[in-house]
Amino acid sequence: MVNADTTTAARSEELLAEAKRVIPGGVNSPVRAFRSVGGTPRFIAKASGPWLEDVDGNRYADLMCSWGPMILGHAHPAVLEAVTTAASEGFSFGTPTEREVRLAEEIVARVEPVEAVRLVNSGTEATMSAVRVARGFTGRSVIVKFAGCYHGHVDALLAAAGSGVATFALPDSPGVPPSSAAETIVLPFNDLAAVEEAFAARGQEIAAVITEASPGNMGVVPPAPGFTEGLRRITAEHGALLISDEVMTGFRCSAAGWYGLEGKPVSGAPDIFTFGKVMGGGFPTAAFGGRRDVMDMLAPDGPVYQAGTLSGNPVASAAGLATLQQCTPEVYDRLLAVAETLQAAVTEAFTKYGIPHRIQTAGSMFSVFFAEHEVTNFEEAKAQDSALYGRFFHAMLQRGVHLPPSCFESWFVSASHDDEVVAHIVAAIHGAASDITQVELAGSRP
Ligand SMILES: *Cc1c(COP(=O)(O)O)cnc(C)c1O
């Protein structure tokens, strides 16, 4: 047994069985099913600040923060008030509203190269639309992406297979037509030579390079110094656009996302940015934006069609705007301080118990790789002990801390993570490190 103070998941198990009857796999997004860590996903009943409470009454300190959005913690009073006020005035009109203007202004004010944004309903829609506008602008169709970067479940961007340079990628998922994947070149992250070669071979066909500004979907793997700069230089030389996907990092790594941390490449800013997660404050709103001449391609001013019944939804816009307005310098300082305390606890506990680990950060985003080597790309990210992560995940869950249920994710903190919850998590890290080492020793007996 991992631990004595085992939590019960009886009601979650019942709900999962009921869910499986009407929802494929019982979940509406695959990673929620706990397949890579095993066990029963906890059905969360409610949450407040840094705490989640499940349907069996267990409490967990939250290190997922809804995969990023809940940067202020759950049910933040100012956001709740903004949402309640907006909702009391009606849910959706299918007309322009003032709130979406204010949200767009907030985004444009924060991220300097973004001159105009269009609001959509999910990060997937943002990247899909960014790719379309890039293709429309350049009159070309090929997209370059990097293995291990996730841009939502857009057909052309699901391809992550194939390593060599400028080869045709195979679709990663049945249902993605080979014709769609054939328009996508997948290259290893942090490998500028591979990008040079791809452009040398097919530069005239490439509409855009899309990259996670600082990848968080293979664990946290920041771009090596000069990588973003190189992408900007090579794309500009060949008349292709650079799309910086900041759906995860936007407004999280800093007030201006990863762009705010890394700064503007000498050869110019990315042409298009995509946002989501934090900017919706937990509601389904996202955006893509960038250079004025590129964004002017969109209907109704230009020929590239893009639309949405609920786009710019007033309740979602209110949540996003209130969230961004609360994201002050003090909030970013607090996120960093909490992240650093947790990283120090992992380093101390894992060193003490001899658990292989490598911590990588992007602002307050960080992940703990269960490996010793530096991780600069997807291949290296995959070379870690994911089974050991699964045991650590469950040991933490038993001790009342909910980590992301996959070793290829960032850990997320919120400004509501106060000293009490941080102390709780630190104690759990030490306890869980001890738990899994004991399992190791027990397991190694003949
Ligand atoms: C989450 C994510 C997406 C997809 O956003 P959804 O809202 O889940 O569709 C796209 N790109 C990145 C970098 C993400 O982290």
Side-chain angles (χ1 to χ4, degrees):
M1 262 293 85
V2 167
N3 197 296
D5 60 271
T6 301
T7 62
T8 169
R11 183 70 188 131
S12 281
E13 275 160 18
E14 280 171 16
L15 283 172
L16 184 64
E18 289 171 30
K20 281 181 171 167
R21 280 181 219 127
V22 288
I23 300 173
V27 294
N28 285 309
S29 201
V31 70
R32 296 180 195 169
F34 275 27
R35 293 288 161 84
S36 75
V37 292
T40 305
R42 301 307 195 262
F43 280 65
I44 300 303
K46 55 187 172 186
S48 175
W51 295 99
L52 300 170
E53 188 178 322
D54 74 10
V55 288
D56 290 288
N58 304 304
R59 284 210 324 159
Y60 307 96
D62 186 8
L63 289 180
M64 279 192 304
C65 292
S66 188
W67 305 91
M70 309 318 301
I71 192 167
L72 303 172
H74 295 281
H76 185 281
V79 182
L80 185 58
E81 195 194 321
V83 166
T84 314
T85 304
S88 74
E89 293 168 6
F91 307 154
S92 179
F93 317 124
T95 69
T97 61
E98 180 169 351
R99 286 191 174 91
E100 60 203 288
V101 185
R102 301 293 165 248
L103 178 56
E105 283 172 347
E106 183 73 28
I107 294 168
V108 168
R110 282 172 175 252
V111 189
E112 178 265 324
V114 175
E115 296 176 306
V117 284
R118 178 151 287 171
L119 301 180
V120 293
N121 304 292
S122 69
T124 295
E125 258 188 78
T127 59
M128 178 186 78
S129 307
V131 163
R132 184 178 308 141
V133 79
R135 285 171 165 165
F137 186 80
T138 57
R140 304 172 178 177
S141 59
V142 173
I143 301 294
V144 173
K145 79 172 287 287
F146 298 102
C149 284
Y150 178 67
H151 303 290
H153 60 99
V154 183
D155 274 3
L157 301 178
L158 263 187
S163 43
V165 175
T167 54
F168 287 120
L170 291 173
D172 244 11
S173 164
V176 175
S179 56
S180 178
E183 304 279 30
T184 308
I185 297 173
V186 183
L187 301 176
F189 189 68
N190 271 329
D191 187 345
L192 276 184
V195 180
E196 297 270 18
E197 275 181 59
F199 271 90
R202 300 180 67 188
Q204 290 308 306
E205 298 167 69
I206 297 171
V209 171
I210 184 167
T211 184
E212 281 190 62
S214 178
N217 286 292
M218 52 177 140
V220 172
V221 179
F227 184 67
T228 313
E229 181 73 55
L231 293 182
R232 174 67 290 183
R233 177 181 51 75
I234 297 164
T235 47
E237 280 168 9
H238 292 269
L241 300 189
L242 178 60
I243 304 171
S244 180
D245 183 352
E246 293 236 29
V247 170
M248 184 182 283
T249 50
F251 318 110
R252 163 132 324 243
C253 288
S254 80
W258 179 257
Y259 179 83
L261 282 188
E262 194 176 43
K264 184 178 190 162
V266 179
S267 41
D271 304 289
I272 307 177
F273 291 75
T274 54
F275 305 108
K277 297 196 168 95
V278 167
M279 65 152 281
F283 282 75
T285 195
F288 66 104
R291 265 167 62 183
R292 169 70 63 183
D293 58 340
V294 173
M295 295 304 287
D296 279 350
M297 291 296 291
L298 289 171
D301 286 344
V304 176
Y305 192 70
Q306 188 282 328
T309 302
L310 297 178
S311 293
N313 175 270
V315 184
S317 295
L321 181 59
T323 298
L324 291 182
Q325 285 171 339
Q326 296 290 321
C327 284
T328 57
E330 295 71 44
V331 160
Y332 292 105
D333 288 348
R334 178 65 192 169
L335 297 175
L336 262 186
V338 171
E340 280 165 9
T341 304
L342 300 185
Q343 289 158 23
V346 168
T347 304
E348 191 189 326
F350 283 29
T351 305
K352 176 172 169 196
Y353 291 100
I355 302 168
H357 61 283
R358 164 138 192 125
I359 297 172
Q360 296 192 177
T361 67
S364 68
M365 280 169 51
F366 67 102
S367 47
V368 179
F369 292 97
F370 281 63
E372 299 285 359
H373 56 272
E374 184 186 4
V375 177
T376 65
N377 60 34
F378 194 34
E379 287 307 310
E380 290 166 358
K382 285 192 283 193
Q384 63 173 313
D385 191 342
S386 58
L388 188 58
Y389 179 79
R391 292 214 290 283
F392 181 70
F393 170 86
H394 279 289
M396 291 290 278
L397 202 63
Q398 297 299 331
R399 291 174 175 274
V401 178
H402 204 311
L403 291 171
S406 157
C407 62
F408 296 106
E409 304 290 348
S410 172
W411 299 15
F412 292 102
V413 298
S414 84
S416 72
H417 282 66
D418 56 17
D419 293 347
E420 183 205 333
V421 77
V422 169
H424 169 82
I425 298 169
V426 166
I429 288 169
H430 283 273
S434 160
D435 295 342
I436 63 171
T437 348
Q438 277 161 27
V439 172
E440 288 276 271
L441 292 176
S444 67
R445 278 191 209 116

